[in-house]
Amino acid sequence: MSGNKRINEKGFLLFEAILSWVLITTCLMIYLPLLVNLLTTLHSAKNELEMARIGYEQIQKSVETEVVDNEWETNGKIYTISEKVVNGRKGIWVYEEGKVWNLQMESLDLLSSRP
């Protein structure tokens, strides 16, 4: 027997290609659902922040006794705004595609003294 044995490497290249394809596919199968979930959460949080900003601006208008807007358009979305009074408390409701964001405010009388 001689020390120069040839190793059979005919299927080795095919095995490497299949293994790398499986690894890349597995990584994508893990990464893509995480990315979609992250983008959905980001979109929801962005929308909620926009509704809170609109509500805050409308509360400022209400406190200054200005007229509250009925509609607000931002980034191609139309938000409906209404001012309501529940149990003596004024509030601003912002509606967008079935979602509601309500902000209630109390009118504080700082100049009067109560025992």
Side-chain angles (χ1 to χ4, degrees), residues 13-58:
L13 185 62
L14 178 63
F15 176 72
E16 280 185 339
I18 291 173
L19 183 64
S20 64
W21 182 78
V22 167
L23 287 173
I24 290 172
T25 305
T26 304
C27 290
L28 287 176
M29 287 176 60
I30 292 171
Y31 176 71
L32 287 178
L34 292 174
L35 182 64
V36 169
N37 187 22
L38 180 66
L39 290 175
T40 305
T41 304
L42 178 68
H43 177 70
S44 175
K46 182 180 174 184
N47 191 28
E48 188 175 319
L49 179 67
E50 187 68 28
M51 291 175 77
R53 184 185 66 83
I54 292 169
Y56 177 75
E57 288 182 13
Q58 298 307 312

Side-chain angles (χ1 to χ4, degrees), residues 54-72 79-95 100-107:
I54 292 169
Y56 177 75
E57 288 182 13
Q58 298 307 312
I59 284 176
Q60 293 298 320
K61 280 187 173 185
S62 179
V63 167
E64 295 172 359
T65 64
E66 293 181 22
V67 178
V68 175
D69 298 332
N70 293 332
E71 285 187 348
W72 189 284
Y79 298 93
T80 307
I81 303 161
S82 64
E83 184 177 17
K84 296 183 181 178
V85 178
V86 177
N87 296 331
R89 295 181 69 182
K90 291 173 87 174
I92 299 292
W93 274 254
V94 181
Y95 301 95
V100 179
W101 182 265
N102 59 351
L103 297 171
Q104 292 185 351
M105 58 185 165
E106 282 186 39
S107 57

Side-chain angles (χ1 to χ4, degrees), residues 1-6:
M1 277 209 201
S2 69
N4 295 335
K5 284 187 176 178
R6 277 202 76 165

